[in-house]
Amino acid sequence: MARPSAARALRALLLPLSPRSVPLTPRGPAASYGTSITSAKIQVNGVNLHYQQTGEGSHAVLLLPGMLGSGQTDFGPQLKSMNKQLFTIVAWDPRGYGQSIPPSRDFPPDFFERDAKDAVDLMQALKFKKFSLLGWSDGGITALIAAAKYPALIHKLVVWGANASVTQEDVRIYNGIRDVSKWSEKVKKPLEEMYGHEYFAKTCEAWVDGISSFAEKSDGNICQQLLPLIKCPTFIIHGEKDPLVPRYHAEYIQKHIKGSRLLLMPEGKHNLHLRFAEDFNRQVEDFLL
């Protein structure tokens, strides 16, 4: 198998922020049923977490973004087009990302567990007693941990672009995007506009260090031991052209979550939910029903 280049990995990681994926602007009350997207903050675990919410359905769904991501940059087509009569959709900005600043983002050894607790506590603060999780990339790892640790709260789980461990090959890919000065203007600009150059550059380097630290363990473990604890229905999606997350990560997750289902998208890359949004939304909605 050809090894993915750092440049390709960078493009895959940052494509959601390209002009084709214009961030949604929160709107006021809409004239038609349940189509408005509200934006607000709520204090959770000592942090004012920002979230967007849309829809009026009885099935609550939380969207969890990837590295340096936020609800509005990572999930435009889902916030806009998922069925708002069936679902209430919440997209959050994890602490230190998007509009959930302060605090500054950091990456202690338990940062995924911290995000999982924040995410679950956010939904409980919003009065959702039970909900499903849709997690992309880092958000997928967070969703796996949340589903394992808080099984009574999670209805169903969908993850894509996620991994339960970090290999030396993964570290090589991550180091290829460490220095943001080498990124093209096209991919740098939206992140610099959101965060400012210094915060963006510092946080990217810190993320590479934080995620790579898992590879220092003998098995590279992030959350492998938690996968058998996941009891809710689980749907894993993988883009076969994803240059950032090799296929074996998706296969490992599917193998270790009993009864889970794996869908391979032949033309999908890391951002398959944006590039093939209509197909993705349909597949996910069918699973959630």
Side-chain angles (χ1 to χ4, degrees):
M1 185 194 319
R3 297 198 306 174
S5 68
R8 288 175 58 209
L10 176 59
R11 288 196 298 270
L13 186 64
L14 296 171
L15 194 55
L17 296 169
S18 71
R20 289 192 301 169
S21 301
V22 179
L24 286 175
T25 301
R27 296 172 290 165
S32 57
Y33 175 89
T35 58
S36 65
I37 299 173
T38 62
S39 177
K41 291 188 176 184
I42 188 169
Q43 189 169 77
V44 176
N45 298 327
V47 177
N48 287 319
L49 293 177
H50 176 260
Y51 67 95
Q52 291 175 284
Q53 183 171 328
T54 187
E56 300 179 12
S58 60
H59 189 151
V61 178
L62 176 64
L63 310 178
L64 299 94
M67 182 270 279
L68 278 167
S70 64
Q72 72 172 20
T73 57
D74 286 15
F75 294 115
Q78 286 68 51
L79 285 165
K80 180 181 179 181
S81 301
M82 282 185 69
N83 189 313
K84 300 186 183 187
Q85 295 186 24
L86 297 175
F87 304 107
T88 295
I89 302 145
V90 178
W92 82 311
D93 299 356
R95 63 171 69 199
Y97 285 162
Q99 297 182 51
S100 293
I101 302 173
S104 296
R105 182 70 181 186
D106 62 352
F107 300 92
D110 66 342
F111 74 90
F112 283 119
E113 285 79 5
R114 182 182 63 184
D115 283 351
K117 180 171 172 52
D118 282 350
V120 167
D121 290 350
L122 166 68
M123 293 300 279
Q124 292 193 298
L126 296 176
K127 309 302 182 185
F128 296 109
K129 294 180 179 178
K130 197 164 187 177
F131 45 92
S132 292
L133 301 173
L134 270 65
W136 176 38
S137 199
D138 270 19
I141 299 171
T142 300
L144 291 168
I145 293 169
K149 289 195 166 186
Y150 310 98
L153 302 176
I154 310 305
H155 183 42
K156 293 186 177 183
L157 172 65
V158 182
V159 297
W160 64 106
N163 46 296
S165 65
V166 176
T167 68
Q168 290 302 320
E169 174 65 7
D170 297 328
V171 171
R172 188 193 65 79
I173 295 171
Y174 303 152
N175 276 313
I177 63 170
R178 174 188 290 276
D179 183 357
V180 301
S181 69
K182 297 178 180 178
W183 296 14
S184 71
E185 284 302 313
K186 181 179 180 181
V187 294
K188 276 196 298 188
K189 186 177 179 181
L191 289 167
E192 289 181 333
E193 288 178 351
M194 173 176 284
Y195 294 113
H197 176 79
E198 183 179 357
Y199 187 92
F200 160 47
K202 179 183 69 175
T203 304
C204 181
E205 287 191 11
W207 175 82
V208 172
D209 290 338
I211 193 78
S212 298
S213 67
F214 291 103
E216 296 170 5
K217 304 177 184 180
S218 60
D219 55 359
N221 180 47
I222 300 176
C223 61
Q224 291 171 319
Q225 78 285 1
L226 296 177
L227 300 182
L229 302 180
I230 297 174
K231 305 302 181 186
C232 65
T234 300
F235 186 22
I236 303 137
I237 305 173
H238 181 72
E240 295 209 71
K241 294 185 177 180
D242 187 340
L244 195 64
V245 180
R247 174 173 168 171
Y248 60 78
H249 283 303
E251 292 174 338
Y252 183 94
I253 294 169
Q254 191 274 328
K255 181 179 178 181
H256 290 86
I257 300 178
K258 186 175 181 180
S260 62
R261 171 188 167 201
L262 173 60
L263 172 67
L264 299 175
M265 296 182 67
E267 297 301 314
K269 296 183 181 179
H270 196 60
N271 67 328
L272 56 85
H273 66 298
L274 300 172
R275 178 72 170 79
F276 301 103
E278 186 176 348
D279 185 31
F280 175 89
N281 287 356
R282 183 177 65 251
Q283 294 276 0
V284 168
E285 287 180 354
D286 287 348
F287 171 75
L288 293 175
L289 293 176

